[in-house]
Amino acid sequence: EVQLVESGGGLVQPGGSLRLSCAASGFTFSNYWMQWVRQAPGKGLVWVSRIKTDGSSTSYADSVKGRFTISRDNAKNTLYLQMNSLRAEDTAVYYCTRETSYSGSYFSDYWGQGTLVTVSS
Amino acid sequence: DIQMTQSPSSLSAAVGDRVTITCRASQGISNSLAWYQQKSGKAPKLLLYAASRLESGVPSRFSGSGSGTDYTLTISSLQPEDFATYYCQQYYSLTITFGGGTKVEIK
């Protein structure tokens, strides 16, 4: 059974940093692209970042570019999101997702339960 | 970035109704479109991908269609467990974008 379990969320002051983790199990982690998606309270889904199987390619939403860094440790089956210079508008539930491919394109098929990040003084 | 415009933002429907949700991309996305269902307090669930392909285990009352820039999610006969928020997502570009969501409520 595919499982994605996020951790590392919490309350942080504006300007602070936080590192989220996503522990993957039930599949060969190193074979899959992975993503982070966030959802502010009462709002819609917003894609944050994605990373290729071996970490050699990453992309980011403009809103987090230069502040967030996605990475992975395939030996530990874990995805990370390092978040620096946090702002109030980064407050959200952060979901880790697995990407699967069809006809050469990649989309999320499994999602974790999410971890809440609150940026407030 | 490709913008995804989803409509309506909310709708009220009765059990048994046929429901249609649309999503328009700001440029052609070659059927690289997925639909997700999200129930309150839960993670989203994949319903369809490649615009019209049903994810394993998803009831056949859900269907998708479209091409180019315009796509549709249809629920043929709304069931009590279908009341939720639905999102479209384009994955044509490396930077993924979601529609704003459609909340389906009980009439």
Side-chain angles (χ1 to χ4, degrees):
Chain A
E1 178 194 6
V2 171
Q3 286 200 323
L4 300 168
V5 180
E6 302 93 337
S7 61
L11 176 63
V12 60
Q13 291 189 339
S17 298
L18 212 55
R19 189 176 83 155
L20 305 183
S21 299
C22 172
S25 60
F27 64 101
T28 304
F29 180 70
S30 58
N31 288 351
Y32 288 85
W33 288 60
M34 299 293 293
Q35 285 185 21
W36 289 99
V37 174
R38 70 184 182 184
Q39 186 171 36
K43 302 296 185 182
L45 300 170
V46 176
W47 174 78
V48 173
S49 182
R50 73 195 309 184
I51 186 168
K52 193 178 175 182
T53 52
D54 61 0
S56 61
S57 176
T58 59
S59 59
Y60 298 91
D62 287 344
S63 58
V64 307
K65 203 173 293 183
R67 300 187 299 124
F68 289 13
T69 303
I70 190 172
S71 63
R72 63 192 297 162
D73 186 335
N74 286 343
K76 295 183 177 179
N77 292 338
T78 303
L79 175 72
Y80 302 101
L81 185 67
Q82 177 66 45
M83 304 186 295
N84 298 331
S85 303
L86 283 161
R87 308 166 179 166
E89 54 265 35
D90 295 319
T91 294
V93 173
Y94 284 73
Y95 294 102
C96 159
T97 87
R98 185 186 83 165
E99 295 192 31
T100 194
S101 68
Y102 176 79
S103 292
S105 295
Y106 293 80
F107 54 92
S108 297
D109 61 348
Y110 284 92
W111 296 60
Q113 84 289 349
T115 187
L116 176 62
V117 172
T118 303
V119 184
S120 175
S121 55
Chain B
D1 289 357
I2 298 174
Q3 306 304 314
M4 302 300 293
T5 303
Q6 190 174 337
S7 61
S9 57
S10 66
L11 64 90
S12 294
V15 172
D17 282 355
R18 182 181 183 88
V19 168
T20 299
I21 298 167
T22 63
C23 204
R24 173 166 288 176
S26 58
Q27 66 183 74
I29 57 171
S30 297
N31 288 1
S32 295
L33 185 100
W35 289 97
Y36 297 90
Q37 176 194 65
Q38 187 180 32
K39 296 183 178 179
S40 182
K42 301 293 187 183
K45 172 189 172 183
L46 175 66
L47 297 177
L48 297 110
Y49 59 94
S52 61
R53 298 193 71 85
L54 201 65
E55 173 70 348
S56 176
V58 174
S60 59
R61 63 181 179 273
F62 291 92
S63 64
S65 63
S67 63
T69 60
D70 294 329
Y71 298 87
T72 299
L73 171 68
T74 299
I75 309 172
S76 60
S77 177
L78 199 65
Q79 297 302 300
E81 60 268 31
D82 300 337
F83 291 95
T85 300
Y86 295 84
Y87 294 92
C88 63
Q89 179 209 57
Q90 69 77 21
Y91 50 91
Y92 179 76
S93 70
L94 199 58
T95 54
I96 291 166
T97 45
F98 289 90
T102 297
K103 186 172 185 178
V104 177
E105 298 176 303
I106 302 172
K107 183 184 284 185

